[in-house]
Amino acid sequence: MEKHIVKVLKTTYVTHNVKRFTVEKPAGYTYTPGQATDVSINKPSLEEELRPFTFTSLTNADHLEFTIKIYTGHNGVTEKLAAINAGDELILHEVFGAIAYKGPGVFIAGGAGITPFIAILRMLKAENKLAGNTLLFANRTESDIILKNELTDMLGDNFVNVLEHSADDNSPAKYIDAELLKKYIDKNAHYYICGPDKFIEKMQEHLHNLGIAASQIVIEES
């Protein structure tokens, strides 16, 4: 199994529970925006605890970046990653993933499901190809929105935040539902979906009911 030990160069929190890791890039290590690798911590008893994380860096950068949501309370891998900082080491493995940019369309993300889209949108910005793309991003609260400022700068009005709990207590809970998706239906567009399994299933169902062919929908494949 392919294995690369890399040093963590920098860490920073981008929200209250999402941490960015900037790490060394192994020589010759390549990936396509949207892809991921299994990551483990290079410490005794943790080397074999692999979890998949998506690259969020540009492919031509001299480093790699991961943007990881930290889940606490069950002593899992991400909780252990919360204690990892510059100078520590991670272990990277083979690159995999079916999410890749196929053309203009609608990116539909639930929470940490935004991560494969970060590298794709950064690539499109670098290539001046953001036109024609929209992001629908579902989160519980305003404080949960990952990279809100950067996404706003990139997409402007084509960045649509959908919050379950608004800062305005009188505002009803909002979700990405069939009514919202209907506004973005284009029979020539691609639809990129990432998030929890139930979220992906529901979005696929909505799109199917709105007449979008399966060939136009891009998701991670097991």
Side-chain angles (χ1 to χ4, degrees), residues 16-28:
H16 62 100
N17 63 352
V18 175
K19 189 173 183 179
R20 177 194 290 137
F21 296 82
T22 303
V23 307
E24 293 175 326
K25 184 177 186 178

Side-chain angles (χ1 to χ4, degrees), residues 88 117 128 135 212 217:
D88 291 323
F117 303 154
N128 198 27
L135 170 62
I212 297 301
I217 299 174

Side-chain angles (χ1 to χ4, degrees), residues 32-201:
T32 299
Q35 288 191 305
T37 186
D38 284 321
V39 177
S40 58
I41 298 169
N42 192 28
K43 291 187 177 182
S45 79
L46 296 178
E47 299 99 325
E48 301 305 318
E49 288 196 43
L50 278 61
R51 296 294 184 276
F53 296 113
T54 309
F55 304 103
T56 53
S57 43
L58 287 168
T59 55
N60 61 359
D62 61 0
H63 61 270
L64 297 174
E65 178 189 287
F66 299 94
T67 304
I68 298 173
K69 185 171 182 178
I70 305 298
Y71 296 91
T72 59
H74 52 82
N75 199 33
V77 170
T78 66
E79 188 165 2
K80 295 181 176 74
L81 281 168
I84 295 299
N85 292 297
D88 291 323
E89 293 179 338
L90 302 179
I91 305 173
L92 310 184
H93 299 81
E94 291 93 346
V95 171
F96 62 88
I99 294 180
Y101 187 66
K102 299 181 183 301
V106 182
F107 293 84
I108 305 167
I114 188 66
T115 54
F117 303 154
I118 292 171
I120 292 173
L121 292 170
R122 285 174 171 173
M123 172 193 73
L124 294 175
K125 179 184 178 183
E127 296 177 355
N128 198 27
K129 294 179 180 177
L130 279 170
N133 289 287
T134 298
L135 170 62
L136 308 181
F137 193 9
N139 285 284
R140 292 188 183 278
T141 70
E142 182 92 13
S143 66
D144 295 318
I145 303 172
I146 298 170
L147 301 181
K148 180 183 178 183
N149 291 340
E150 181 180 357
L151 293 169
T152 300
D153 288 343
M154 285 197 289
L155 293 164
D157 292 339
N158 290 325
F159 175 31
V160 181
N161 278 302
V162 184
L163 299 179
E164 184 177 345
H165 301 289
S166 168
D168 178 2
D169 292 335
N170 296 318
S171 182
K174 294 182 180 179
Y175 305 93
I176 300 177
D177 54 18
E179 185 177 353
L180 176 60
L181 289 170
K182 193 182 298 182
K183 299 177 183 178
Y184 300 95
I185 291 300
D186 179 343
K187 295 301 172 64
N188 297 313
H190 288 87
Y191 292 82
Y192 305 86
I193 310 171
C194 193
D197 289 344
K198 289 184 179 180
F199 175 87
I200 294 172
E201 291 171 9

